[in-house]
Amino acid sequence: SRGFAYERSNKAEAAIADYDAAIRAQPDNALAYRMRGVAVGRQGNNAKALTDLSEAIRINPRDAVAFASRGIAYIEVPLYDKAIADLNIALDLQPTYAQAYQDRGAAFAGKGEYDKAIADFGQVIKLAPGSIRALNDRCWYQAISGALKEALADCNEALILAPAASNLLDTRAFVYLRMGRYEEAITEYNAALRLAPNEATSLYGRGIAYLKRFNRVDGPKDLADAVKIDGQIAEKFRKWGVPPPA
């Protein structure tokens, strides 16, 4: 319990030390293994996280949170099929587990199975109405899939809840870009970039919108700046259905 309190206070090392002590005192403490696994995973030690979470599951195979947490760790590898398998078990154990739907949606998206991802984000929205993350994610993958009217509705709802979030502005700008509404895309990307000036997605999207409006000065500059930040950004946009301009 003190370890959890340390985590809530952003004292990760102290939290892990307490989880270590709890496990020494009680080697079959499934909760301590699960909590330590989550804590070390947040520190970037994914291998240790998987080991601890697997031990937690071995001790208590009915712990939905342990399965869901290991699913997140598998996403980080990434091993999407293993992540989905664990998240399926978590949802079998706890069918109203909104975060497990959110994370399984991310795993499906990682595999390119966007329809399944969209369905899972929809489940999150049913279970937790007003979930900004789920609305944003469903907006994004609907835009990629071509469901542009539905995507825009989700983004609009998310931005009512958080009007100054750069990631939401970036997502709605991408919807406008896919719709061919280039002036609105530029306006939205401008707003996103005022909040996050080095976001490669916003720079690249604005660059394409500029070029679609025959601005051959600002467009190439934005594309070049985006590539400096993320060398894979052009390929990402191609994958998302927006090939780089000739």
Side-chain angles (χ1 to χ4, degrees):
S1 297
R2 189 175 70 179
F4 181 67
Y6 278 135
E7 273 202 81
R8 293 291 293 270
S9 302
N10 296 315
K11 297 178 180 178
E13 294 296 340
I16 291 167
D18 269 1
Y19 299 144
D20 290 343
I23 290 166
R24 284 195 300 271
Q26 187 180 3
D28 61 347
N29 189 331
L31 179 59
Y33 275 108
R34 188 236 287 171
M35 298 295 287
R36 189 174 71 179
V38 171
V40 297
R42 286 175 179 156
Q43 288 194 314
N45 189 344
N46 212 50
K48 175 64 173 171
L50 285 167
T51 299
D52 275 354
L53 292 166
S54 295
E55 183 64 10
I57 289 165
R58 185 193 68 77
I59 297 167
N60 180 11
R62 302 290 298 172
D63 185 349
V65 177
F67 277 105
S69 299
R70 192 172 69 175
I72 295 169
Y74 279 132
I75 290 172
E76 293 296 319
V77 176
L79 290 170
Y80 295 121
D81 288 330
K82 286 191 172 185
I84 291 164
D86 270 357
L87 290 158
N88 287 343
I89 296 170
L91 287 164
D92 287 341
L93 292 167
Q94 192 172 323
T96 59
Y97 194 168
Q99 187 61 49
Y101 278 111
Q102 179 72 46
D103 295 323
R104 191 176 69 175
F108 280 131
K111 290 187 68 180
E113 296 181 13
Y114 299 137
D115 288 347
K116 292 179 180 179
I118 290 166
D120 272 357
F121 299 139
Q123 287 296 320
V124 178
I125 293 163
K126 286 181 183 178
L127 292 166
S131 169
I132 293 170
R133 181 181 173 190
L135 285 165
N136 185 55
D137 286 348
R138 190 170 70 171
C139 175
W140 180 263
Y141 290 107
Q142 284 174 332
I144 292 172
S145 301
L148 299 175
K149 181 179 177 181
E150 294 83 354
L152 186 57
D154 277 348
C155 272
N156 288 343
E157 185 176 347
L159 278 158
I160 289 170
L161 298 168
S166 63
N167 62 323
L168 303 183
L169 292 164
D170 175 83
T171 302
R172 189 164 69 178
F174 181 74
V175 177
Y176 287 140
L177 186 66
R178 293 278 282 163
M179 286 179 154
R181 293 163 61 173
Y182 301 122
E183 291 295 344
E184 289 164 285
I186 290 166
T187 298
E188 205 82 341
Y189 280 130
N190 286 342
L193 286 162
R194 280 194 291 272
L195 296 166
N198 296 315
E199 178 53 56
T201 304
S202 297
L203 285 166
Y204 199 87
R206 188 177 68 176
I208 290 176
Y210 275 141
L211 288 172
K212 294 289 187 179
R213 299 303 299 150
F214 307 105
N215 182 336
R216 295 185 174 88
V217 176
D218 295 319
K221 181 180 183 304
D222 272 355
L223 297 184
D225 288 344
V227 170
K228 288 177 185 175
I229 296 166
D230 180 355
Q232 301 301 312
I233 193 66
E235 186 54 36
K236 289 177 182 177
F237 266 77
R238 188 193 304 277
K239 181 181 176 183
W240 298 334
V242 183

